[in-house]
């Protein structure tokens, strides 16, 4: 869909690259900074705008598969500081946010893995209030209870499935 507008994408990329370079020039000091990290850090988030016709076809026909590590190591804290959240709690929080952000009409599924793997649904389901509510409940109950960290089998299973919707 972007083939017809390749010049527009190149212009957009050039302008974004110029903007990033200008931001770095403005932020990075010319003198050496004395800090624990030693180097200055810049964080930049870009939110591109795609044509509405592209977005409408993508949102109503996309399939989202979330692969979540549910191995025993996910019970460990995120860091050694006090009050640190465990990794599985962080994964749950992230998944809750992502599920609530999916576009209506897309398809989705959640695959947890450890020594074995399991899917929330037998196959991807259409995103609706009902399926979102089901998934949210399952995410809240999700634990780091699948043993070791073996990702190959769930990936083989995912890639052996047809993409949805079949169009």
């Amino acid at each position: 869909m972007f083939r017809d507008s390749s010049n527009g994408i190149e212009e957009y990329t050039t302008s974004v690259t110029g903007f990033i370079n200008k931001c770095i020039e403005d932020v990075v000091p010319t003198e050496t900074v004395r800090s624990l990290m030693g180097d200055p850090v810049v964080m930049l988030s870009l939110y591109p705008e795609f044509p509405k016709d592209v977005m409408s076809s993508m949102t109503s026909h996309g399939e989202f598969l979330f692969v979540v590590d549910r191995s025993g190591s996910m019970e460990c804290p995120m860091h050694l500081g006090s009050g640190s959240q465990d990794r599985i709690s962080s994964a749950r929080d992230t998944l809750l946010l992502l599920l609530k952000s999916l576009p209506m009409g897309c398809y989705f599924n959640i695959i947890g893995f450890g020594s074995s793997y399991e899917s929330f649904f037998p196959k991807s389901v259409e995103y609706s209030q009902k399926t979102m509510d089901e998934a949210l409940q399952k995410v809240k109950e999700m634990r780091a209870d699948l043993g070791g960290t073996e990702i190959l089998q769930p990936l083989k299973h995912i890639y052996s499935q047809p993409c949805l919707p079949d169009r």
Side-chain angles (χ1 to χ4, degrees), residues 12-103:
Y12 177 78
T13 304
T14 302
S15 68
V16 169
T17 304
F19 174 74
I20 292 170
N21 288 335
K22 180 65 177 148
C23 288
I24 292 172
E25 289 171 9
D26 291 347
V27 173
V28 176
T30 54
E31 297 179 19
T32 304
V33 176
R34 298 286 179 176
S35 71
L36 294 176
M37 297 201 32
D39 294 319
V41 177
V42 175
M43 180 177 160
L44 180 64
S45 297
L46 299 175
Y47 301 95
E49 290 184 27
F50 296 104
K52 288 182 181 180
D53 59 329
V54 171
M55 291 307 295
S56 64
S57 67
M58 287 174 57
T59 58
S60 62
H61 303 298
E63 180 180 20
F64 298 85
L65 298 174
F66 301 97
V67 181
V68 182
D69 184 351
R70 290 181 48 193
S71 65
S73 64
M74 292 295 284
E75 291 180 337
C76 297
M78 295 288 290
H79 57 81
L80 298 176
S82 64
S84 177
Q85 184 180 36
D86 62 8
R87 294 173 182 174
I88 195 68
S89 295
S90 178
R92 266 194 308 269
D93 292 348
T94 302
L95 202 46
L96 291 171
L97 175 69
L98 292 172
L99 283 172
K100 291 177 181 180
S101 302
L102 289 175

Side-chain angles (χ1 to χ4, degrees), residues 6 24 40 53 61 64 80 88 109 111 122 125 139 144 146 150 157:
S6 61
I24 292 172
D53 59 329
H61 303 298
F64 298 85
L80 298 176
I88 195 68
N109 202 350
I111 298 97
V125 294
V139 168
L146 293 180
E150 304 293 331
H157 171 74

Side-chain angles (χ1 to χ4, degrees), residues 111-131:
I111 298 97
F113 73 93
S115 295
S116 60
Y117 67 92
E118 57 186 45
S119 299
F120 277 25
F121 303 101
K123 65 179 188 173
S124 292
V125 294
E126 188 170 348
Y127 185 72
S128 65
Q129 187 66 49
K130 180 180 182 264
T131 57

